[in-house]
Amino acid sequence: MKENRSSVLACVTSQYDCDRIIKTAKKIADDCDCELRVLSILKPTSNYTTVSDQIEYLYLVSKESGADMTVLFHDDAPSAVSEFVKENNVERVVTGMHDGGDDSFLVMFNKLAPKTPITMVAKDNMVYSMELCSECMPVGKK
């Protein structure tokens, strides 16, 4: 990997259907000539057996997309993602949809990194961008 190259970050949870986030982030990264990175934040626990198959699947989807996948163990996902964004030259974050609460991941992340553009991918693969990065073309629908 080139250190100075910008990246697009796919933020995934431990759900199989997060593959849609990785695939959309791959298209955006290709359009922006950016690296693709994948990040999952898991709450620290002593047993990860309930999510191991899902994480393994997302790891394989990441590799097929030419991306590294990082799994971090942290109690505060927005804070962990914000730090990752700062440390890894992330130009855009791609996530699932906002779940509506004032303490949701997206609301809290936006407070910590207000200048980072966010693209959201709905379960039906519709894509919504909150802001366009300077090098990206508008993100279209499915």
Side-chain angles (χ1 to χ4, degrees), residues 22-68:
I22 297 169
K23 292 171 183 175
T24 298
K26 168 73 171 150
K27 290 176 189 170
I28 295 168
D30 287 349
D31 288 347
C32 294
D33 192 29
C34 293
E35 252 179 353
L36 173 62
R37 307 286 303 267
V38 179
L39 177 64
S40 183
I41 309 294
L42 299 178
K43 288 193 180 235
T45 183
S46 60
N47 185 356
Y48 295 99
T49 57
T50 59
V51 298
S52 62
D53 288 343
Q54 293 91 324
I55 294 296
E56 177 71 18
Y57 170 72
L58 295 172
Y59 172 80
L60 293 172
V61 172
S62 299
K63 284 297 172 195
E64 288 172 1
S65 299
D68 289 330

mmCIF file of all heavy atoms in Angstrom, residues 22-68:
data_model
loop_
_atom_site.group_PDB
_atom_site.id
_atom_site.type_symbol
_atom_site.label_atom_id
_atom_site.label_comp_id
_atom_site.label_asym_id
_atom_site.label_seq_id
_atom_site.Cartn_x
_atom_site.Cartn_y
_atom_site.Cartn_z
ATOM 1 N N ILE A 22 -19.303 -3.063 1.419
ATOM 2 C CA ILE A 22 -17.969 -3.265 0.849
ATOM 3 C C ILE A 22 -18.009 -3.097 -0.671
ATOM 4 O O ILE A 22 -17.155 -2.422 -1.261
ATOM 5 C CB ILE A 22 -17.410 -4.651 1.236
ATOM 6 C CG1 ILE A 22 -17.249 -4.749 2.759
ATOM 7 C CG2 ILE A 22 -16.083 -4.921 0.521
ATOM 8 C CD1 ILE A 22 -16.963 -6.154 3.267
ATOM 9 N N LYS A 23 -19.012 -3.674 -1.310
ATOM 10 C CA LYS A 23 -19.116 -3.600 -2.776
ATOM 11 C C LYS A 23 -19.348 -2.163 -3.247
ATOM 12 O O LYS A 23 -18.767 -1.727 -4.246
ATOM 13 C CB LYS A 23 -20.209 -4.539 -3.270
ATOM 14 C CG LYS A 23 -19.832 -6.009 -3.069
ATOM 15 C CD LYS A 23 -20.977 -6.944 -3.354
ATOM 16 C CE LYS A 23 -20.569 -8.384 -3.060
ATOM 17 N NZ LYS A 23 -21.680 -9.324 -3.202
ATOM 18 N N THR A 24 -20.176 -1.418 -2.533
ATOM 19 C CA THR A 24 -20.410 -0.017 -2.892
ATOM 20 C C THR A 24 -19.147 0.806 -2.655
ATOM 21 O O THR A 24 -18.770 1.637 -3.488
ATOM 22 C CB THR A 24 -21.587 0.559 -2.079
ATOM 23 O OG1 THR A 24 -22.765 -0.187 -2.408
ATOM 24 C CG2 THR A 24 -21.804 2.030 -2.390
ATOM 25 N N ALA A 25 -18.483 0.577 -1.542
ATOM 26 C CA ALA A 25 -17.241 1.301 -1.236
ATOM 27 C C ALA A 25 -16.171 1.005 -2.287
ATOM 28 O O ALA A 25 -15.395 1.892 -2.657
ATOM 29 C CB ALA A 25 -16.746 0.939 0.162
ATOM 30 N N LYS A 26 -16.143 -0.211 -2.797
ATOM 31 C CA LYS A 26 -15.190 -0.579 -3.858
ATOM 32 C C LYS A 26 -15.430 0.263 -5.109
ATOM 33 O O LYS A 26 -14.489 0.784 -5.714
ATOM 34 C CB LYS A 26 -15.325 -2.076 -4.173
ATOM 35 C CG LYS A 26 -14.617 -2.539 -5.416
ATOM 36 C CD LYS A 26 -13.136 -2.589 -5.245
ATOM 37 C CE LYS A 26 -12.490 -3.264 -6.459
ATOM 38 N NZ LYS A 26 -11.167 -2.766 -6.704
ATOM 39 N N LYS A 27 -16.705 0.420 -5.493
ATOM 40 C CA LYS A 27 -17.024 1.240 -6.670
ATOM 41 C C LYS A 27 -16.592 2.690 -6.455
ATOM 42 O O LYS A 27 -16.028 3.321 -7.353
ATOM 43 C CB LYS A 27 -18.525 1.183 -6.961
ATOM 44 C CG LYS A 27 -18.997 -0.147 -7.473
ATOM 45 C CD LYS A 27 -20.503 -0.158 -7.657
ATOM 46 C CE LYS A 27 -20.988 -1.559 -7.955
ATOM 47 N NZ LYS A 27 -22.450 -1.658 -7.910
ATOM 48 N N ILE A 28 -16.854 3.219 -5.278
ATOM 49 C CA ILE A 28 -16.469 4.605 -4.974
ATOM 50 C C ILE A 28 -14.952 4.746 -4.984
ATOM 51 O O ILE A 28 -14.413 5.689 -5.553
ATOM 52 C CB ILE A 28 -17.061 5.050 -3.624
ATOM 53 C CG1 ILE A 28 -18.597 5.092 -3.709
ATOM 54 C CG2 ILE A 28 -16.503 6.401 -3.199
ATOM 55 C CD1 ILE A 28 -19.286 5.245 -2.368
ATOM 56 N N ALA A 29 -14.258 3.800 -4.364
ATOM 57 C CA ALA A 29 -12.785 3.849 -4.320
ATOM 58 C C ALA A 29 -12.214 3.799 -5.739
ATOM 59 O O ALA A 29 -11.279 4.547 -6.067
ATOM 60 C CB ALA A 29 -12.249 2.700 -3.475
ATOM 61 N N ASP A 30 -12.764 2.952 -6.581
ATOM 62 C CA ASP A 30 -12.287 2.867 -7.961
ATOM 63 C C ASP A 30 -12.530 4.182 -8.697
ATOM 64 O O ASP A 30 -11.650 4.673 -9.416
ATOM 65 C CB ASP A 30 -12.981 1.723 -8.707
ATOM 66 C CG ASP A 30 -12.491 0.349 -8.272
ATOM 67 O OD1 ASP A 30 -11.481 0.260 -7.548
ATOM 68 O OD2 ASP A 30 -13.146 -0.645 -8.651
ATOM 69 N N ASP A 31 -13.718 4.788 -8.496
ATOM 70 C CA ASP A 31 -14.037 6.060 -9.152
ATOM 71 C C ASP A 31 -13.129 7.189 -8.676
ATOM 72 O O ASP A 31 -12.839 8.114 -9.431
ATOM 73 C CB ASP A 31 -15.503 6.462 -8.899
ATOM 74 C CG ASP A 31 -16.487 5.596 -9.667
ATOM 75 O OD1 ASP A 31 -16.061 4.856 -10.586
ATOM 76 O OD2 ASP A 31 -17.693 5.651 -9.335
ATOM 77 N N CYS A 32 -12.717 7.140 -7.428
ATOM 78 C CA CYS A 32 -11.879 8.196 -6.836
ATOM 79 C C CYS A 32 -10.392 7.891 -6.932
ATOM 80 O O CYS A 32 -9.579 8.683 -6.457
ATOM 81 C CB CYS A 32 -12.224 8.378 -5.354
ATOM 82 S SG CYS A 32 -13.856 9.009 -5.042
ATOM 83 N N ASP A 33 -10.040 6.734 -7.496
ATOM 84 C CA ASP A 33 -8.654 6.272 -7.522
ATOM 85 C C ASP A 33 -8.080 6.254 -6.104
ATOM 86 O O ASP A 33 -6.993 6.767 -5.846
ATOM 87 C CB ASP A 33 -7.797 7.134 -8.455
ATOM 88 C CG ASP A 33 -6.445 6.487 -8.718
ATOM 89 O OD1 ASP A 33 -6.356 5.234 -8.679
ATOM 90 O OD2 ASP A 33 -5.467 7.231 -8.933
ATOM 91 N N CYS A 34 -8.861 5.685 -5.203
ATOM 92 C CA CYS A 34 -8.466 5.564 -3.794
ATOM 93 C C CYS A 34 -8.296 4.096 -3.437
ATOM 94 O O CYS A 34 -8.804 3.212 -4.124
ATOM 95 C CB CYS A 34 -9.552 6.149 -2.885
ATOM 96 S SG CYS A 34 -9.775 7.918 -3.002
ATOM 97 N N GLU A 35 -7.613 3.877 -2.350
ATOM 98 C CA GLU A 35 -7.524 2.543 -1.776
ATOM 99 C C GLU A 35 -8.828 2.215 -1.073
ATOM 100 O O GLU A 35 -9.502 3.109 -0.568
ATOM 101 C CB GLU A 35 -6.433 2.528 -0.698
ATOM 102 C CG GLU A 35 -5.221 1.814 -1.071
ATOM 103 C CD GLU A 35 -4.201 1.878 0.050
ATOM 104 O OE1 GLU A 35 -4.366 2.561 1.060
ATOM 105 O OE2 GLU A 35 -3.206 1.184 -0.144
ATOM 106 N N LEU A 36 -9.179 0.956 -1.019
ATOM 107 C CA LEU A 36 -10.335 0.522 -0.251
ATOM 108 C C LEU A 36 -9.854 -0.102 1.043
ATOM 109 O O LEU A 36 -8.958 -0.946 1.038
ATOM 110 C CB LEU A 36 -11.158 -0.504 -1.046
ATOM 111 C CG LEU A 36 -12.318 -1.163 -0.299
ATOM 112 C CD1 LEU A 36 -13.353 -0.125 0.142
ATOM 113 C CD2 LEU A 36 -12.963 -2.237 -1.165
ATOM 114 N N ARG A 37 -10.433 0.324 2.149
ATOM 115 C CA ARG A 37 -10.165 -0.255 3.473
ATOM 116 C C ARG A 37 -11.499 -0.692 4.048
ATOM 117 O O ARG A 37 -12.526 -0.077 3.770
ATOM 118 C CB ARG A 37 -9.532 0.771 4.415
ATOM 119 C CG ARG A 37 -8.295 1.493 3.918
ATOM 120 C CD ARG A 37 -7.038 0.635 3.916
ATOM 121 N NE ARG A 37 -6.698 0.077 5.192
ATOM 122 C CZ ARG A 37 -5.867 0.627 6.078
ATOM 123 N NH1 ARG A 37 -5.311 1.781 5.833
ATOM 124 N NH2 ARG A 37 -5.596 0.010 7.208
ATOM 125 N N VAL A 38 -11.500 -1.737 4.848
ATOM 126 C CA VAL A 38 -12.706 -2.228 5.513
ATOM 127 C C VAL A 38 -12.417 -2.294 7.001
ATOM 128 O O VAL A 38 -11.353 -2.773 7.416
ATOM 129 C CB VAL A 38 -13.137 -3.615 4.975
ATOM 130 C CG1 VAL A 38 -14.376 -4.119 5.692
ATOM 131 C CG2 VAL A 38 -13.370 -3.553 3.463
ATOM 132 N N LEU A 39 -13.364 -1.808 7.793
ATOM 133 C CA LEU A 39 -13.184 -1.753 9.247
ATOM 134 C C LEU A 39 -14.442 -2.261 9.939
ATOM 135 O O LEU A 39 -15.559 -1.878 9.584
ATOM 136 C CB LEU A 39 -12.908 -0.309 9.682
ATOM 137 C CG LEU A 39 -12.759 -0.049 11.184
ATOM 138 C CD1 LEU A 39 -11.533 -0.774 11.746
ATOM 139 C CD2 LEU A 39 -12.666 1.447 11.444
ATOM 140 N N SER A 40 -14.229 -3.107 10.945
ATOM 141 C CA SER A 40 -15.323 -3.549 11.801
ATOM 142 C C SER A 40 -14.898 -3.331 13.246
ATOM 143 O O SER A 40 -13.773 -3.683 13.630
ATOM 144 C CB SER A 40 -15.626 -5.040 11.573
ATOM 145 O OG SER A 40 -16.739 -5.429 12.357
ATOM 146 N N ILE A 41 -15.785 -2.726 14.020
ATOM 147 C CA ILE A 41 -15.518 -2.492 15.439
ATOM 148 C C ILE A 41 -16.385 -3.463 16.230
ATOM 149 O O ILE A 41 -17.611 -3.478 16.088
ATOM 150 C CB ILE A 41 -15.872 -1.046 15.865
ATOM 151 C CG1 ILE A 41 -15.228 -0.025 14.938
ATOM 152 C CG2 ILE A 41 -15.502 -0.818 17.326
ATOM 153 C CD1 ILE A 41 -13.724 0.028 14.976
ATOM 154 N N LEU A 42 -15.748 -4.280 17.051
ATOM 155 C CA LEU A 42 -16.467 -5.214 17.912
ATOM 156 C C LEU A 42 -16.281 -4.797 19.362
ATOM 157 O O LEU A 42 -15.178 -4.399 19.761
ATOM 158 C CB LEU A 42 -15.932 -6.637 17.729
ATOM 159 C CG LEU A 42 -16.047 -7.241 16.333
ATOM 160 C CD1 LEU A 42 -15.419 -8.635 16.316
ATOM 161 C CD2 LEU A 42 -17.489 -7.304 15.882
ATOM 162 N N LYS A 43 -17.356 -4.894 20.123
ATOM 163 C CA LYS A 43 -17.237 -4.613 21.559
ATOM 164 C C LYS A 43 -16.406 -5.718 22.197
ATOM 165 O O LYS A 43 -16.581 -6.895 21.859
ATOM 166 C CB LYS A 43 -18.613 -4.544 22.212
ATOM 167 C CG LYS A 43 -19.361 -3.297 21.819
ATOM 168 C CD LYS A 43 -20.565 -3.093 22.701
ATOM 169 C CE LYS A 43 -21.256 -1.831 22.252
ATOM 170 N NZ LYS A 43 -21.448 -0.877 23.280
ATOM 171 N N PRO A 44 -15.506 -5.354 23.111
ATOM 172 C CA PRO A 44 -14.693 -6.377 23.784
ATOM 173 C C PRO A 44 -15.579 -7.368 24.555
ATOM 174 O O PRO A 44 -16.502 -6.969 25.257
ATOM 175 C CB PRO A 44 -13.827 -5.572 24.743
ATOM 176 C CG PRO A 44 -13.804 -4.195 24.176
ATOM 177 C CD PRO A 44 -15.144 -4.007 23.523
ATOM 178 N N THR A 45 -15.310 -8.632 24.354
ATOM 179 C CA THR A 45 -16.022 -9.704 25.045
ATOM 180 C C THR A 45 -15.096 -10.907 25.121
ATOM 181 O O THR A 45 -14.040 -10.917 24.494
ATOM 182 C CB THR A 45 -17.339 -10.063 24.322
ATOM 183 O OG1 THR A 45 -18.025 -11.062 25.070
ATOM 184 C CG2 THR A 45 -17.102 -10.554 22.922
ATOM 185 N N SER A 46 -15.491 -11.892 25.852
ATOM 186 C CA SER A 46 -14.644 -13.080 25.961
ATOM 187 C C SER A 46 -15.036 -14.158 24.955
ATOM 188 O O SER A 46 -14.372 -15.170 24.831
ATOM 189 C CB SER A 46 -14.728 -13.652 27.379
ATOM 190 O OG SER A 46 -16.063 -14.005 27.672
ATOM 191 N N ASN A 47 -16.129 -13.939 24.195
ATOM 192 C CA ASN A 47 -16.598 -14.962 23.274
ATOM 193 C C ASN A 47 -17.084 -14.316 21.974
ATOM 194 O O ASN A 47 -18.109 -13.640 21.957
ATOM 195 C CB ASN A 47 -17.727 -15.759 23.932
ATOM 196 C CG ASN A 47 -18.180 -16.916 23.071
ATOM 197 O OD1 ASN A 47 -17.726 -17.107 21.951
ATOM 198 N ND2 ASN A 47 -19.095 -17.700 23.613
ATOM 199 N N TYR A 48 -16.372 -14.598 20.894
ATOM 200 C CA TYR A 48 -16.733 -14.052 19.582
ATOM 201 C C TYR A 48 -17.287 -15.125 18.646
ATOM 202 O O TYR A 48 -17.411 -14.888 17.448
ATOM 203 C CB TYR A 48 -15.519 -13.384 18.937
ATOM 204 C CG TYR A 48 -15.054 -12.170 19.707
ATOM 205 C CD1 TYR A 48 -13.992 -12.254 20.592
ATOM 206 C CD2 TYR A 48 -15.711 -10.963 19.571
ATOM 207 C CE1 TYR A 48 -13.584 -11.140 21.308
ATOM 208 C CE2 TYR A 48 -15.317 -9.847 20.290
ATOM 209 C CZ TYR A 48 -14.248 -9.948 21.160
ATOM 210 O OH TYR A 48 -13.859 -8.847 21.875
ATOM 211 N N THR A 49 -17.640 -16.275 19.189
ATOM 212 C CA THR A 49 -18.108 -17.372 18.337
ATOM 213 C C THR A 49 -19.392 -17.024 17.596
ATOM 214 O O THR A 49 -19.618 -17.527 16.498
ATOM 215 C CB THR A 49 -18.323 -18.671 19.137
ATOM 216 O OG1 THR A 49 -19.241 -18.422 20.199
ATOM 217 C CG2 THR A 49 -17.006 -19.189 19.691
ATOM 218 N N THR A 50 -20.229 -16.157 18.157
ATOM 219 C CA THR A 50 -21.496 -15.819 17.509
ATOM 220 C C THR A 50 -21.305 -14.970 16.262
ATOM 221 O O THR A 50 -22.205 -14.896 15.426
ATOM 222 C CB THR A 50 -22.439 -15.083 18.481
ATOM 223 O OG1 THR A 50 -21.797 -13.894 18.931
ATOM 224 C CG2 THR A 50 -22.812 -15.959 19.658
ATOM 225 N N VAL A 51 -20.151 -14.324 16.114
ATOM 226 C CA VAL A 51 -19.919 -13.460 14.949
ATOM 227 C C VAL A 51 -18.750 -13.927 14.085
ATOM 228 O O VAL A 51 -18.471 -13.315 13.062
ATOM 229 C CB VAL A 51 -19.679 -11.991 15.372
ATOM 230 C CG1 VAL A 51 -20.893 -11.427 16.075
ATOM 231 C CG2 VAL A 51 -18.424 -11.842 16.213
ATOM 232 N N SER A 52 -18.104 -15.002 14.457
ATOM 233 C CA SER A 52 -16.896 -15.403 13.731
ATOM 234 C C SER A 52 -17.161 -15.760 12.271
ATOM 235 O O SER A 52 -16.371 -15.395 11.390
ATOM 236 C CB SER A 52 -16.192 -16.560 14.451
ATOM 237 O OG SER A 52 -17.038 -17.692 14.511
ATOM 238 N N ASP A 53 -18.257 -16.444 11.981
ATOM 239 C CA ASP A 53 -18.556 -16.801 10.588
ATOM 240 C C ASP A 53 -18.837 -15.566 9.747
ATOM 241 O O ASP A 53 -18.398 -15.464 8.598
ATOM 242 C CB ASP A 53 -19.748 -17.755 10.515
ATOM 243 C CG ASP A 53 -19.412 -19.159 10.998
ATOM 244 O OD1 ASP A 53 -18.215 -19.495 11.079
ATOM 245 O OD2 ASP A 53 -20.354 -19.921 11.294
ATOM 246 N N GLN A 54 -19.561 -14.596 10.316
ATOM 247 C CA GLN A 54 -19.877 -13.376 9.594
ATOM 248 C C GLN A 54 -18.608 -12.567 9.313
ATOM 249 O O GLN A 54 -18.421 -12.059 8.204
ATOM 250 C CB GLN A 54 -20.869 -12.509 10.384
ATOM 251 C CG GLN A 54 -22.235 -13.115 10.519
ATOM 252 C CD GLN A 54 -22.387 -13.960 11.783
ATOM 253 O OE1 GLN A 54 -21.468 -14.644 12.221
ATOM 254 N NE2 GLN A 54 -23.572 -13.925 12.367
ATOM 255 N N ILE A 55 -17.754 -12.444 10.305
ATOM 256 C CA ILE A 55 -16.496 -11.696 10.128
ATOM 257 C C ILE A 55 -15.619 -12.389 9.085
ATOM 258 O O ILE A 55 -15.018 -11.725 8.229
ATOM 259 C CB ILE A 55 -15.756 -11.521 11.473
ATOM 260 C CG1 ILE A 55 -16.569 -10.616 12.415
ATOM 261 C CG2 ILE A 55 -14.351 -10.991 11.269
ATOM 262 C CD1 ILE A 55 -16.740 -9.182 11.933
ATOM 263 N N GLU A 56 -15.562 -13.705 9.124
ATOM 264 C CA GLU A 56 -14.783 -14.459 8.128
ATOM 265 C C GLU A 56 -15.331 -14.206 6.724
ATOM 266 O O GLU A 56 -14.575 -13.982 5.778
ATOM 267 C CB GLU A 56 -14.826 -15.957 8.446
ATOM 268 C CG GLU A 56 -14.114 -16.821 7.430
ATOM 269 C CD GLU A 56 -12.611 -16.702 7.452
ATOM 270 O OE1 GLU A 56 -12.063 -16.215 8.453
ATOM 271 O OE2 GLU A 56 -11.972 -17.087 6.457
ATOM 272 N N TYR A 57 -16.654 -14.226 6.573
ATOM 273 C CA TYR A 57 -17.273 -13.957 5.274
ATOM 274 C C TYR A 57 -16.921 -12.549 4.789
ATOM 275 O O TYR A 57 -16.528 -12.361 3.635
ATOM 276 C CB TYR A 57 -18.794 -14.128 5.369
ATOM 277 C CG TYR A 57 -19.514 -13.624 4.139
ATOM 278 C CD1 TYR A 57 -19.446 -14.318 2.931
ATOM 279 C CD2 TYR A 57 -20.245 -12.437 4.178
ATOM 280 C CE1 TYR A 57 -20.091 -13.845 1.799
ATOM 281 C CE2 TYR A 57 -20.893 -11.970 3.044
ATOM 282 C CZ TYR A 57 -20.807 -12.663 1.865
ATOM 283 O OH TYR A 57 -21.435 -12.192 0.741
ATOM 284 N N LEU A 58 -17.048 -11.557 5.646
ATOM 285 C CA LEU A 58 -16.738 -10.174 5.262
ATOM 286 C C LEU A 58 -15.256 -10.004 4.945
ATOM 287 O O LEU A 58 -14.887 -9.236 4.056
ATOM 288 C CB LEU A 58 -17.192 -9.202 6.350
ATOM 289 C CG LEU A 58 -18.710 -9.167 6.552
ATOM 290 C CD1 LEU A 58 -19.050 -8.325 7.774
ATOM 291 C CD2 LEU A 58 -19.418 -8.655 5.315
ATOM 292 N N TYR A 59 -14.419 -10.732 5.652
ATOM 293 C CA TYR A 59 -12.980 -10.728 5.348
ATOM 294 C C TYR A 59 -12.753 -11.240 3.916
ATOM 295 O O TYR A 59 -11.989 -10.651 3.153
ATOM 296 C CB TYR A 59 -12.229 -11.590 6.363
ATOM 297 C CG TYR A 59 -10.781 -11.798 6.024
ATOM 298 C CD1 TYR A 59 -9.838 -10.815 6.304
ATOM 299 C CD2 TYR A 59 -10.342 -12.970 5.423
ATOM 300 C CE1 TYR A 59 -8.501 -10.997 5.975
ATOM 301 C CE2 TYR A 59 -9.019 -13.167 5.098
ATOM 302 C CZ TYR A 59 -8.106 -12.174 5.376
ATOM 303 O OH TYR A 59 -6.784 -12.350 5.049
ATOM 304 N N LEU A 60 -13.435 -12.319 3.547
ATOM 305 C CA LEU A 60 -13.285 -12.873 2.192
ATOM 306 C C LEU A 60 -13.803 -11.904 1.134
ATOM 307 O O LEU A 60 -13.183 -11.735 0.081
ATOM 308 C CB LEU A 60 -13.995 -14.223 2.082
ATOM 309 C CG LEU A 60 -13.373 -15.348 2.917
ATOM 310 C CD1 LEU A 60 -14.260 -16.591 2.883
ATOM 311 C CD2 LEU A 60 -11.967 -15.663 2.443
ATOM 312 N N VAL A 61 -14.934 -11.247 1.396
ATOM 313 C CA VAL A 61 -15.469 -10.251 0.463
ATOM 314 C C VAL A 61 -14.476 -9.093 0.326
ATOM 315 O O VAL A 61 -14.240 -8.587 -0.779
ATOM 316 C CB VAL A 61 -16.859 -9.743 0.914
ATOM 317 C CG1 VAL A 61 -17.327 -8.577 0.059
ATOM 318 C CG2 VAL A 61 -17.872 -10.873 0.890
ATOM 319 N N SER A 62 -13.873 -8.695 1.436
ATOM 320 C CA SER A 62 -12.873 -7.622 1.415
ATOM 321 C C SER A 62 -11.693 -8.012 0.538
ATOM 322 O O SER A 62 -11.249 -7.229 -0.315
ATOM 323 C CB SER A 62 -12.377 -7.323 2.833
ATOM 324 O OG SER A 62 -13.427 -6.889 3.656
ATOM 325 N N LYS A 63 -11.186 -9.214 0.744
ATOM 326 C CA LYS A 63 -10.037 -9.683 -0.043
ATOM 327 C C LYS A 63 -10.380 -9.753 -1.523
ATOM 328 O O LYS A 63 -9.574 -9.367 -2.370
ATOM 329 C CB LYS A 63 -9.550 -11.050 0.460
ATOM 330 C CG LYS A 63 -8.767 -10.957 1.729
ATOM 331 C CD LYS A 63 -7.517 -10.147 1.497
ATOM 332 C CE LYS A 63 -6.795 -9.859 2.778
ATOM 333 N NZ LYS A 63 -5.802 -8.800 2.647
ATOM 334 N N GLU A 64 -11.586 -10.242 -1.847
ATOM 335 C CA GLU A 64 -12.022 -10.299 -3.249
ATOM 336 C C GLU A 64 -12.088 -8.900 -3.864
ATOM 337 O O GLU A 64 -11.926 -8.746 -5.070
ATOM 338 C CB GLU A 64 -13.400 -10.969 -3.356
ATOM 339 C CG GLU A 64 -13.372 -12.451 -3.108
ATOM 340 C CD GLU A 64 -14.771 -13.060 -3.036
ATOM 341 O OE1 GLU A 64 -15.773 -12.326 -3.189
ATOM 342 O OE2 GLU A 64 -14.846 -14.278 -2.809
ATOM 343 N N SER A 65 -12.330 -7.901 -3.029
ATOM 344 C CA SER A 65 -12.404 -6.515 -3.493
ATOM 345 C C SER A 65 -11.053 -5.820 -3.455
ATOM 346 O O SER A 65 -10.961 -4.626 -3.734
ATOM 347 C CB SER A 65 -13.412 -5.733 -2.625
ATOM 348 O OG SER A 65 -14.684 -6.292 -2.739
ATOM 349 N N GLY A 66 -10.010 -6.540 -3.070
ATOM 350 C CA GLY A 66 -8.668 -5.978 -3.024
ATOM 351 C C GLY A 66 -8.413 -5.107 -1.808
ATOM 352 O O GLY A 66 -7.538 -4.243 -1.840
ATOM 353 N N ALA A 67 -9.154 -5.348 -0.730
ATOM 354 C CA ALA A 67 -9.043 -4.497 0.457
ATOM 355 C C ALA A 67 -8.484 -5.256 1.656
ATOM 356 O O ALA A 67 -8.670 -6.461 1.784
ATOM 357 C CB ALA A 67 -10.417 -3.951 0.835
ATOM 358 N N ASP A 68 -7.835 -4.499 2.517
ATOM 359 C CA ASP A 68 -7.477 -5.003 3.837
ATOM 360 C C ASP A 68 -8.693 -4.850 4.728
ATOM 361 O O ASP A 68 -9.448 -3.885 4.599
ATOM 362 C CB ASP A 68 -6.350 -4.171 4.460
ATOM 363 C CG ASP A 68 -5.020 -4.384 3.777
ATOM 364 O OD1 ASP A 68 -4.792 -5.488 3.261
ATOM 365 O OD2 ASP A 68 -4.207 -3.450 3.785
#
